[in-house]
């Protein structure tokens, strides 16, 4: 029997989700979590309204510290789900801010403002044309993998979120980079798109995993059972996952 002790991937109104830090904390405490991660979207993600500006994270840090004092036995991490904005692995959260935050999650999202027109064009081309031929698909796969791997090496990322969601990547190559940098790969309970094969391929490289709810409403905080079931079906042990323990 596994017990989830942390949910590192939750969103608040700072980036258009339905609850506040306090409401997420209340939900986390109700389901028995010891750690709650706030991971609001970085500013380049146009797929979410009320985007968090870089300077707003300073306010979030202060609020997180204040709210944490209200909840005995619950640690609250002020963080972000940053966006990869170039094929060189740049994020929309600068290093100086990454170092101020308690945690940095990062994902390859299709709904982003790329750093440059050239990057934007490549994002669009691979999204629209990659499936037209095996050659284009392989080129897209190579570029997508490079973007995420470079992000891992160039930034201070704790968790890569929903790897492979809507993009084609080389899972073992990404997992090797994450294992070298002590970066976890997420098993996302909300999207449910991680196949058993993906988890097995990544686990073979010695990487750690984090199961995340990707909660956008307080009632979704701590909903990790789908991810736990996927991890167990793939043959993972609890010690391979940073936010579960044997109960």
């Amino acid at each position: 029997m596994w017990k989830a002790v942390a949910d590192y991937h939750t969103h608040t109104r700072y980036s258009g989700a339905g609850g506040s830090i306090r409401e997420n904390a209340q939900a986390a405490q109700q389901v028995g979590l010891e750690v709650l991660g706030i991971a609001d979207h970085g500013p380049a993600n146009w797929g979410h309204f009320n985007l968090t500006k870089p300077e707003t994270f300073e306010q979030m840090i202060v609020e997180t510290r204040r709210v944490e004092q209200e909840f005995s036995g619950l640690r609250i991490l002020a963080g972000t789900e940053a966006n990869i904005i170039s094929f060189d692995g740049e994020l929309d959260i600068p290093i100086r801010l990454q170092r101020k935050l308690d945690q940095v999650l990062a994902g390859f999202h299709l709904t982003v403002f790329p750093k440059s027109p050239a990057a934007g064009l490549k994002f669009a081309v691979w999204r629209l044309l990659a499936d037209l031929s095996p050659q284009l698909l392989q080129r897209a796969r190579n570029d997508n993998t490079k973007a995420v791997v470079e992000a891992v090496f160039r930034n201070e990322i704790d968790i890569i979120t929903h790897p492979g969601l809507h993009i084609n990547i080389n899972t073992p190559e990404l997992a090797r980079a994450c294992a070298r940098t002590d970066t976890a790969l997420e098993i996302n309970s909300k999207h449910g798109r991680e196949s058993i094969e993906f988890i097995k391929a990544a686990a073979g490289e010695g990487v750690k995993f984090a199961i995340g709810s990707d909660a956008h409403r307080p009632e979704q905080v701590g909903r990790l059972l789908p991810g736990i079931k996927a991890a167990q079906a793939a043959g993972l042990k609890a010690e391979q996952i940073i936010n579960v323990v044997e109960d």
Side-chain angles (χ1 to χ4, degrees):
M1 179 74 73
W2 291 359
K3 175 185 176 183
V5 295
D7 186 355
Y8 296 113
H9 190 173
T10 77
H11 298 274
T12 74
R13 294 190 186 113
Y14 277 107
S15 59
S20 64
I21 294 174
R22 178 177 286 102
E23 288 168 331
N24 279 16
Q26 290 170 337
Q29 196 167 66
Q30 288 171 1
V31 298
L33 295 179
E34 299 172 10
V35 182
L36 168 69
I38 304 300
D40 276 307
H41 292 287
N45 193 326
W46 55 260
H48 295 270
F49 298 103
N50 192 32
L51 290 177
T52 307
K53 299 177 182 178
E55 57 268 24
T56 307
F57 282 100
E58 302 285 353
Q59 178 183 343
M60 180 197 297
I61 292 170
V62 172
E63 182 176 345
T64 298
R65 302 289 183 263
R66 184 175 67 248
V67 172
E68 186 178 42
Q69 294 176 5
E70 303 174 19
F71 292 86
S72 176
L74 179 67
R75 185 181 177 205
I76 307 177
L77 306 178
T80 183
E81 183 184 16
N83 302 285
I84 298 171
I85 57 172
S86 79
F87 286 95
D88 293 322
E90 294 169 275
L91 300 184
D92 60 348
I93 301 296
I95 285 287
R96 60 172 180 76
L97 181 53
Q98 293 177 35
R99 290 171 178 165
K100 284 187 177 182
L101 295 167
D102 299 319
Q103 63 166 12
V104 176
L105 284 59
F108 196 135
H109 298 91
L110 296 180
T111 53
V112 297
F113 297 107
K115 182 183 179 183
S116 67
L121 179 61
K122 185 178 283 190
F123 273 118
V125 167
W126 288 154
R127 182 176 184 181
L128 296 173
L129 303 180
D131 291 333
L132 293 182
S133 75
Q135 292 79 13
L136 287 176
L137 183 62
Q138 186 59 53
R139 288 180 62 188
R141 179 180 173 86
N142 292 343
D143 283 344
N144 294 339
T145 303
K146 178 179 181 292
V148 187
V149 168
E150 288 293 326
V152 168
F153 285 122
R154 293 184 60 171
N155 298 280
E156 300 190 2
I157 300 171
D158 298 291
I159 300 170
I160 291 291
T161 58
H162 44 66
L165 179 64
H166 301 311
I167 65 164
N168 192 314
I169 61 170
N170 184 318
T171 297
E173 185 176 344
L174 172 60
R176 285 192 293 272
C178 289
R180 286 179 58 187
T181 56
D182 197 26
T183 304
L185 286 180
E186 183 185 57
I187 301 173
N188 190 291
S189 288
K190 179 180 179 181
H191 292 292
R193 295 174 185 267
E194 287 88 355
S195 67
I196 304 303
E197 289 73 24
F198 154 75
I199 298 172
K200 288 180 177 179
E205 304 299 331
V207 72
K208 294 286 188 178
F209 294 87
I211 300 174
S213 69
D214 202 352
H216 281 66
R217 298 193 304 275
E219 60 267 26
Q220 297 171 339
V221 172
R223 288 189 181 177
L224 304 178
L225 186 57
I228 288 174
K229 288 182 176 179
Q232 291 174 331
L236 294 188
K237 298 179 180 180
E239 55 263 30
Q240 293 173 275
I241 305 170
I242 65 174
N243 60 324
V244 302
V245 296
E246 292 279 2
D247 190 13

